[in-house]
Amino acid sequence: MPESQRLRLKRYATIAGRALWALAAVLATARMAVAQAPSITHTVPAAVAAGAATDIVLYGANLAAPTGAWWGMPAEAALTPGVDKNGTEPAQVSYRVNVPATAAVGIYGLRVANGGGISNLRLLMVDDLPSAVDNGSNKSPEAAQQITLPVAVDGACEAESYDFYRFEAVAGQRITVEVVARRLGYPLDAVIRLLDSSGHELAYSDDEPGIGADCRFAHTIAVNGTYLLELRDIRYLGGPTHRYRMRVGNFPLATTTYPMGGRRGSQAKVRLAGAEGAEMAPMVVPMPASSAVDRMTVAAKFPGGQGSGIVNVAVGSASEQVELEPNDTPETASPVTLPTAINGRFDAAKDRDWFQFEAKQGQRWVFTGKTRSLGSPSDLFMRLSKADGGQVAEAEDSGTEDGIIDFTAPADGVYRLMVEDLLRRGGPDFVYRITVEVYRPGFTLAVEGEKFDAPTRGVFVAKVTCARRDYDGPIALSVEGAGEGLSLAGNTIAEKGKETVLRVTLPANMEPGRWANVRILGRAKIGDAEFQTTASTLTPLKTALGGWAYPPADLDGLVGLGVGPVFPDFFQLSAAPAGAIPFPQFVGTTSFKVEAKRLNKFDDKIELAVAGLPEGVSAKVAPIEKGKPEVAIEVAGPMALAEGDYPLSITGTATFQNQPKTVTIADLVLRVVKPVQVSLAPAGPLVAGGKQAVAVKLTRYGDATGPVTVRLKHVPTGMSGPPEVTVPEGQNEAAIELSAAGDMAAGKVEIAATATMKVKDRAVSLESDPVSLEITRP
């Protein structure tokens, strides 16, 4: 690649990366500042050893105070003793992991949990090669890091840079080099070269069939001496996340076997696919009996070799059949009986294989090709034809998917299946597998997430989609693996529906720091049979693991669930007036306000409900709309409702970041009162022989706005005043001037008033509370 082009590519990648990080930061700050779930960027080493204890450091964020870790392999683990501040640092935590000697070399999942939730999925290996760490200063051939074989080195590529490793080898020594990066979920697109001491290239590897963007080669050393390995990203990208595990030893490079699988519960005899298969005796692989497993990995090792290779083996339910050569023409087609699993190999370029079977009219069969998903480099092409050569159907694998033919026999007879590599390639590793199963109506499910965190007693939300096969009925969803007490809503995909939003509320006994691996199951009765399947997480897994097309099969459908702290309050409610809401007799209506105090940037709508109103009384309730601080509630009822206090409550509900919240104002009463209340307030003492004003004050409710006539009652002897005063319409105050005779004795007297008015053509009379008026002598 020209230097100018390489630099442009680097600049574009850097800009794009910064933009993505900036977007992630904006999205993160848009959410409420609550305790964050842990995250793992990488581990050092990237593998644990079987039959030994390995101290492994998890790097990332929010890793302090872990409450547990999930290891996909059989393991016993605890915080590594003797490490200063271990378990208290947010950026890293160290575990001592004991893996039994029986654990198979392979790639497994890892998560860690704490009081903030559960981490992302990170992959690591069980490896039988000893681990070493990149020293970080090996950026030139002269500064190459010395390694001793066999070894597996954990490192990270820097942008526009190289990592160099130096080792000694002898003539005739076979070395195998494999870079495991994308298969561990890292974005590194590695390229590796083997150089002699003069810098001459002896071997080169970029993307390799069966392992995607990872690379590998095997080479036999010709001359005793010193050799170099040069490792970089093919795009010259790099950084802390561009990590790799470089394995150097003498182990098989095959990624699958021939036959490619075996029957469930049986002992399958297989060989490594490719030229290495001839160097090793067949392997006997115990097939799991569980119907939940359709692909497994097996470790393969040369006799006296250094390290193991990892191969994929399919697990099926039908009988296994292997192609019988010669079967390169329709006339020499290998006979097969359906249902079955066909295993074959394109031995040379332009090889075609033919298979022949009988079918009855109306029988429906599904032919599913398996090549790249099991580690074969072949792009499989399939074609079905009648015995006379007339084509019936064809399929090729597309993208990361292998090909499928859904075939219904149009008549009784013999049919033929032709298969070939789409690009007409061949060789000992170009193996294929085709399962042929009876078509059954049903569905597949997928969930848009491989982990969820929920607050204590809170909710997590998962969108579940379905693809239907001749079944339009409802699908019932459940969540298994988290114990009892989960509350589900949206757990039915409706008839003919394609999706639902599943809302899962955690029980109170799932406290912060608890975690689980759960599966979302879908069930339906189709005809007379019960149908069940697990929702796939393959799409989010691929995203979480750097785009690796074929993550470990046992991780598909496994959803991490973490429990965080209680979700913070995000709104409060109050009523105005507080305590008692007056409801005027003879008016029959009133209104009051419900006010919201919004917290933590919550701005959405709050739904309201009123409970406890007396019989015959109703409320016109509206929500507090998005961004609004309050709403008025109107109350209507009988005009002759008896005076008194009627307890009521107001409940507000809202959802913020998927978390529901209910707030209740419970200490309220509806107070039924007269439409007008009158009170008296003397301006001061009344001096014998003098005058004093007494203020008349009205409190009006509802439509009681007309004029009010006020008369004093119980006026003591020696005191006089006007017979009545009128408070004009719409006003609430007036004054009565009282006079006291000169011989009026000193002391205190009580005065009161009556008020009369008309409300809706009804005469209303009411009295004030008595007040004390002091009489003094001059």
Side-chain angles (χ1 to χ4, degrees):
M1 179 186 297
E3 182 70 12
S4 59
Q5 183 181 351
R6 179 170 61 84
L7 291 175
R8 281 198 303 273
L9 180 60
K10 167 60 181 171
R11 284 197 297 271
Y12 296 155
T14 301
I15 292 170
R18 288 174 179 170
L20 288 173
W21 279 110
L23 176 60
V26 169
L27 294 175
T29 56
R31 297 188 65 81
M32 186 185 299
V34 297
Q36 297 296 306
S39 62
I40 307 171
T41 57
H42 64 282
T43 68
V44 176
V48 294
T54 304
D55 288 341
I56 183 168
V57 181
L58 284 55
Y59 293 91
N62 306 311
L63 293 170
T67 55
W70 172 73
W71 309 86
M73 76 291 290
E76 293 182 358
L79 293 180
T80 305
V83 177
D84 187 38
K85 297 183 180 179
N86 193 24
T88 66
E89 297 287 335
Q92 66 183 69
V93 62
S94 178
Y95 276 91
R96 178 161 293 170
V97 185
N98 285 277
V99 176
T102 54
V105 172
I107 296 175
Y108 299 86
L110 162 66
R111 296 186 193 271
V112 67
N114 63 15
I118 196 166
S119 76
N120 58 306
L121 180 70
R122 180 49 62 201
L123 300 180
L124 77 164
M125 292 185 68
V126 171
D127 202 348
D128 52 2
L129 291 174
S131 293
V133 178
D134 170 22
N135 64 18
S137 59
N138 54 343
K139 304 307 176 185
S140 68
E142 296 75 21
Q145 180 176 339
Q146 186 72 40
I147 57 175
T148 301
L149 310 190
V151 70
V153 183
D154 294 306
C157 284
E158 297 178 5
E160 297 185 331
S161 184
Y162 303 79
D163 287 350
F164 289 91
Y165 298 92
R166 180 187 298 110
F167 65 93
E168 308 299 323
V170 298
Q173 181 178 350
R174 182 186 188 272
I175 64 165
T176 307
V177 180
E178 176 183 41
V179 177
V180 187
R182 194 60 61 86
R183 284 172 291 166
L184 289 175
Y186 298 121
L188 179 70
D189 189 350
V191 58
I192 193 164
R193 296 198 301 158
L194 173 66
L195 310 174
D196 65 17
S197 58
S198 299
H200 297 128
E201 181 181 295
L202 302 177
Y204 172 94
S205 177
D206 185 10
D207 301 350
E208 291 290 336
I211 58 173
D214 286 346
C215 53
R216 60 186 181 175
F217 63 80
H219 182 80
T220 301
I221 299 296
V223 179
N224 294 355
T226 300
Y227 294 85
L228 291 176
L229 290 170
E230 175 200 273
L231 175 61
R232 64 174 172 88
D233 184 276
I234 189 66
R235 304 155 298 179
Y236 289 94
L237 301 180
T241 63
H242 283 63
R243 300 196 64 81
Y244 60 84
R245 183 170 176 86
M246 183 183 72
R247 309 178 71 233
V248 188
N250 180 20
F251 49 86
L253 288 180
T255 53
T256 189
T257 63
Y258 186 72
M260 295 186 76
R263 191 169 190 173
R264 211 175 301 280
S266 70
Q267 300 286 317
K269 182 182 288 189
V270 298
R271 287 184 178 272
L272 296 183
E276 294 171 330
E279 302 177 31
M280 296 179 58
M283 299 185 296
V284 177
V285 181
M287 294 286 105
S290 171
S291 60
V293 179
D294 60 8
R295 175 162 57 102
M296 58 185 293
T297 57
V298 176
K301 190 171 186 176
F302 291 135
Q306 298 172 327
S308 297
I310 305 170
V311 294
N312 295 292
V313 179
V315 183
S317 299
S319 62
E320 299 282 328
Q321 299 186 66
V322 178
E323 67 162 319
L324 300 174
E325 292 283 5
N327 65 337
D328 300 336
T329 65
E331 295 74 23
T332 59
S334 296
V336 294
T337 302
L338 309 188
T340 188
I342 302 170
N343 295 273
R345 173 162 33 205
F346 302 123
D347 292 309
K350 300 183 180 180
D351 186 13
R352 282 182 172 176
D353 291 337
W354 289 81
F355 301 91
Q356 181 173 293
F357 62 92
E358 293 184 359
K360 298 292 186 181
Q361 182 180 13
Q363 283 186 332
R364 190 171 178 181
W365 299 96
V366 178
F367 295 71
T368 303
K370 293 292 183 182
T371 53
R372 292 177 296 164
S373 61
L374 291 173
S376 170
S378 180
D379 286 344
L380 189 66
F381 177 82
M382 299 186 291
R383 176 181 292 147
L384 276 175
S385 60
K386 301 176 184 177
D388 61 7
Q391 181 177 321
V392 177
E394 67 178 33
E396 62 181 78
D397 57 0
S398 175
T400 60
E401 301 299 326
D402 297 321
I404 296 177
I405 294 177
D406 184 346
F407 165 68
T408 301
D412 293 358
V414 173
Y415 296 86
R416 294 192 178 102
L417 171 69
M418 186 279 292
V419 295
E420 64 182 344
D421 183 80
L422 184 65
L423 303 178
R424 307 302 305 279
R425 300 167 299 170
D429 52 347
F430 278 77
V431 294
Y432 59 86
R433 178 179 174 86
I434 303 168
T435 61
V436 189
E437 300 173 303
V438 175
Y439 174 87
R440 288 184 174 84
F443 51 86
T444 59
L445 299 176
V447 58
E448 292 188 349
E450 51 87 22
K451 61 150 279 188
F452 296 97
D453 294 301
T456 299
R457 299 185 299 279
V459 173
F460 75 87
V461 174
K463 183 178 179 180
V464 181
T465 58
C466 74
R468 297 176 178 270
R469 301 189 307 271
D470 294 329
Y471 170 71
D472 289 334
I475 301 169
L477 302 181
S478 62
V479 178
E480 297 192 2
E484 302 295 327
L486 297 180
S487 176
L488 306 185
N491 56 322
T492 299
I493 300 179
E495 183 176 353
K496 296 185 179 182
K498 296 182 178 180
E499 62 184 45
T500 188
V501 176
L502 177 65
R503 299 180 61 87
V504 183
T505 303
L506 304 189
N509 62 358
M510 291 190 73
E511 300 175 345
R514 286 275 302 275
W515 61 273
N517 281 316
V518 303
R519 296 183 186 274
I520 298 174
L521 304 182
R523 295 182 174 90
K525 189 169 185 179
I526 303 177
D528 295 329
E530 297 291 337
F531 183 88
Q532 175 179 304
T533 190
T534 300
S536 172
T537 57
L538 192 56
T539 297
L541 271 181
K542 292 178 181 179
T543 301
L545 299 176
W548 172 228
Y550 306 110
D554 59 335
L555 298 179
D556 186 17
L558 201 61
V559 178
L561 173 60
V563 184
V566 174
F567 198 73
D569 288 340
F570 51 90
F571 74 94
Q572 298 171 351
L573 294 179
S574 60
I581 299 167
F583 184 86
Q585 285 180 323
F586 314 124
V587 175
T589 61
T590 190
S591 67
F592 63 96
K593 290 181 178 180
V594 177
E595 299 171 339
K597 181 179 180 181
R598 299 176 179 272
L599 308 171
N600 294 307
K601 300 183 180 180
F602 169 69
D603 198 41
D604 288 341
K605 180 168 66 175
I606 304 171
E607 298 286 351
L608 299 177
V610 177
L613 291 170
E615 185 176 356
V617 178
S618 63
K620 185 179 180 181
V621 183
I624 302 177
E625 296 292 350
K626 178 180 175 66
K628 301 297 183 181
E630 62 185 32
V631 70
I633 295 180
E634 298 178 1
V635 180
M639 291 189 294
L641 195 65
E643 286 187 79
D645 287 349
Y646 299 86
L648 60 86
S649 63
I650 301 169
T651 300
T653 57
T655 299
F656 185 37
Q657 296 179 7
N658 294 322
Q659 304 309 311
K661 177 72 176 178
T662 300
V663 174
T664 300
I665 309 173
D667 54 347
L668 286 176
V669 295
L670 185 70
R671 179 164 292 166
V672 179
V673 296
K674 298 293 186 181
V676 174
Q677 292 180 342
V678 60
S679 63
L680 302 178
L686 176 59
V687 180
K691 297 181 179 181
Q692 184 59 277
V694 175
V696 178
K697 296 183 179 180
L698 301 181
T699 301
R700 301 175 184 264
Y701 301 105
D703 295 334
T705 58
V708 178
T709 300
V710 180
R711 298 180 179 84
L712 290 177
K713 59 181 294 188
H714 306 309
V715 177
T717 301
M719 183 184 298
S720 62
E724 64 182 37
V725 295
T726 299
V727 182
E729 180 176 358
Q731 297 185 23
N732 294 321
E733 294 185 356
I736 298 176
E737 187 176 70
L738 296 180
S739 301
D743 60 352
M744 195 167 182
K748 290 185 177 182
V749 298
E750 285 191 345
I751 58 173
T754 61
T756 57
M757 68 176 302
K758 280 192 174 183
V759 178
K760 294 185 177 180
D761 297 327
R762 180 190 293 264
V764 178
S765 178
L766 52 98
E767 294 185 0
S768 73
D769 292 331
V771 295
S772 178
L773 175 62
E774 184 177 3
I775 308 297
T776 60
R777 298 294 300 170

